[in-house]
Amino acid sequence: NTSNAPQPGLKKMGSQKNIPAGPADENATSAISAEDAEAKIQELGIPDSITGGLNDNNWKEKVRGISEFNQWISQNTEAASANLEYIFKYLKVKLKDWKESNLNVLKELFQFMLGVAQNKDITLSKKSFSLIASLVINYIAEGKYLESCTGIVFAFVEAVSPKSVIYSLLNAVQDSKNPKSSNPKTLIETCNLFAKLADEITLKFFPLKETIDFGKSVIGNSNQNVRAAATTLFKSIYAQLGPQLNDFLNDVNPQTLKALQAEFEKIVPMKKAECKVKFRGEAEAEVMGDISSNPLDSLPRADISKEANNLLKKLSD
């Protein structure tokens, strides 16, 4: 059988040549330059008190600038919606590529981001989230920002394509240029976030192959707590996928796999996972095609036509 239908008996997932990993436009990434963002901010007529504050080296002035910017956006939601990508890029540049260290500035920044993300009058977009995915990954490991990071992600998941949001997070947490991406606490909280998302939105709206690959890379970590977090993620996937998940774990270390499967044996897979998130805007339209889908349909398939033909010859002997 060479169709894309799930093949329960296919145990070894070998070479997946010529099989695309996923839709090319799923991981929408912003290409706006710092210069473009600066020009757009001027074009929008953002008050000098805001831009001056963000350009100031004094943290108090920066906090005031972000606070005033937040107020401006709440009063200009239409302009903010049309230019959110530029606004996020501008802030990213002014706040050291999301590597700002002042606690007061960060507190105001997360208040700003959460306010924008949860404002139903503002239209969110894939590209705007791609600009703040690294912000989430950079600070998700810090307890004081964890709740805000989670709130921002769920707000975007509700409003834009859930798969796109998760793709952006996967890219950010696997970015070798970002030293925080290999931080054990970052990996732990990212696994916990994905497990929570899987429980809330179900695997139908997940980039499943990429998430499994991420889990496999993390479960091989030398840190015991990181491995435990990866196990939690795999348990959430197993709860919906069942024993078929094992078909995609052949390359996991045998000892690790044995311990993982022992955890799976404690789980009774659910017959039907229910999405607990109410999608809106762009996301509502995008997820319609995934509602009745099988999560396994998104995984690559091996071509077994040659093996099948040989088997048929033997059966007819």
Side-chain angles (χ1 to χ4, degrees):
N1 189 345
T2 58
S3 72
N4 277 338
Q7 306 294 327
L10 187 61
K11 292 296 178 186
K12 185 171 178 61
M13 301 307 291
S15 173
Q16 307 298 335
K17 292 180 180 178
N18 301 320
I19 300 176
D25 63 344
E26 277 291 347
N27 189 20
T29 305
S30 174
I32 289 178
S33 68
E35 293 74 19
D36 290 339
E38 189 89 40
K40 181 61 70 172
I41 292 300
Q42 291 179 4
E43 183 185 316
L44 288 171
I46 304 295
D48 291 342
S49 58
I50 294 176
T51 56
L54 288 166
N55 282 313
D56 203 300
N57 291 326
N58 186 313
W59 69 263
K60 291 182 180 179
E61 286 302 303
K62 265 194 168 55
V63 167
R64 182 191 55 75
I66 296 170
S67 177
E68 286 189 24
F69 207 173
N70 202 4
Q71 293 172 23
W72 183 90
I73 284 181
S74 65
Q75 295 165 6
N76 297 271
T77 54
E78 190 174 337
S81 296
N83 299 282
L84 196 58
E85 192 181 344
Y86 291 93
I87 290 169
F88 282 0
K89 179 67 176 183
Y90 181 77
L91 281 171
K92 186 176 183 179
V93 171
K94 298 304 176 184
L95 299 174
K96 305 172 186 175
D97 200 27
W98 303 138
K99 294 182 179 68
E100 176 64 51
S101 58
N102 186 280
L103 297 180
N104 296 288
V105 174
L106 284 170
K107 181 181 177 182
E108 195 66 38
L109 173 62
F110 276 104
Q111 194 170 339
F112 173 96
M113 287 298 178
L114 196 58
V116 170
Q118 295 180 340
N119 189 327
K120 298 296 191 292
D121 294 327
I122 294 176
T123 303
L124 306 178
S125 68
K126 299 174 187 177
K127 289 185 177 182
S128 60
F129 183 78
S130 75
L131 284 165
I132 64 169
S134 58
L135 171 67
V136 172
I137 294 302
N138 281 356
Y139 296 100
I140 195 170
E142 299 185 34
K144 51 186 168 291
Y145 307 122
L146 175 59
E147 188 176 343
S148 294
C149 287
T150 303
I152 290 166
V153 169
F154 269 87
F156 270 88
V157 161
E158 290 174 7
V160 304
S161 162
K163 287 182 180 178
S164 179
V165 170
I166 297 168
Y167 269 123
S168 291
L169 290 171
L170 283 168
N171 278 345
V173 78
Q174 295 177 106
D175 182 3
S176 58
K177 296 177 183 177
N178 185 354
K180 289 194 176 183
S181 65
S182 58
N183 183 307
K185 288 184 179 180
T186 299
L187 294 173
I188 289 167
E189 292 303 339
T190 303
C191 283
N192 291 341
L193 175 61
F194 286 160
K196 187 173 182 179
L197 281 167
D199 293 339
E200 293 288 319
I201 68 174
T202 77
L203 296 178
K204 289 180 180 179
F205 309 119
F206 253 74
L208 193 52
K209 178 186 182 301
E210 289 78 5
T211 305
I212 290 174
D213 287 345
F214 169 70
K216 288 194 291 187
S217 69
V218 176
I219 206 166
N221 194 282
S222 59
N223 185 298
Q224 183 180 351
N225 293 329
V226 173
R227 295 197 301 273
T231 299
T232 298
L233 173 58
F234 276 126
K235 285 165 69 176
S236 293
I237 295 174
Y238 184 89
Q240 296 180 47
L241 214 56
Q244 286 181 302
L245 173 59
N246 291 320
D247 295 350
F248 305 96
L249 301 177
N250 293 315
D251 50 350
V252 172
N253 176 282
Q255 188 176 352
T256 302
L257 184 59
K258 184 179 179 181
L260 190 58
Q261 290 176 332
E263 292 296 318
F264 290 165
E265 288 174 7
K266 303 173 187 176
I267 300 171
V268 178
M270 58 186 76
K271 292 182 179 179
K272 185 179 180 182
E274 297 290 341
C275 180
K276 302 167 190 173
V277 170
K278 183 174 177 57
F279 297 109
R280 60 187 175 90
E282 182 184 333
E284 188 176 15
E286 282 217 16
V287 301
M288 289 304 293
D290 294 324
I291 287 177
S292 59
S293 66
N294 183 331
L296 282 169
D297 291 345
S298 67
L299 292 168
R301 300 289 161 197
D303 184 351
I304 61 167
S305 55
K306 290 181 180 179
E307 290 82 352
N309 288 335
N310 290 333
L311 179 62
L312 287 171
K313 287 177 183 178
K314 291 180 180 180
L315 288 172
S316 60
D317 193 305

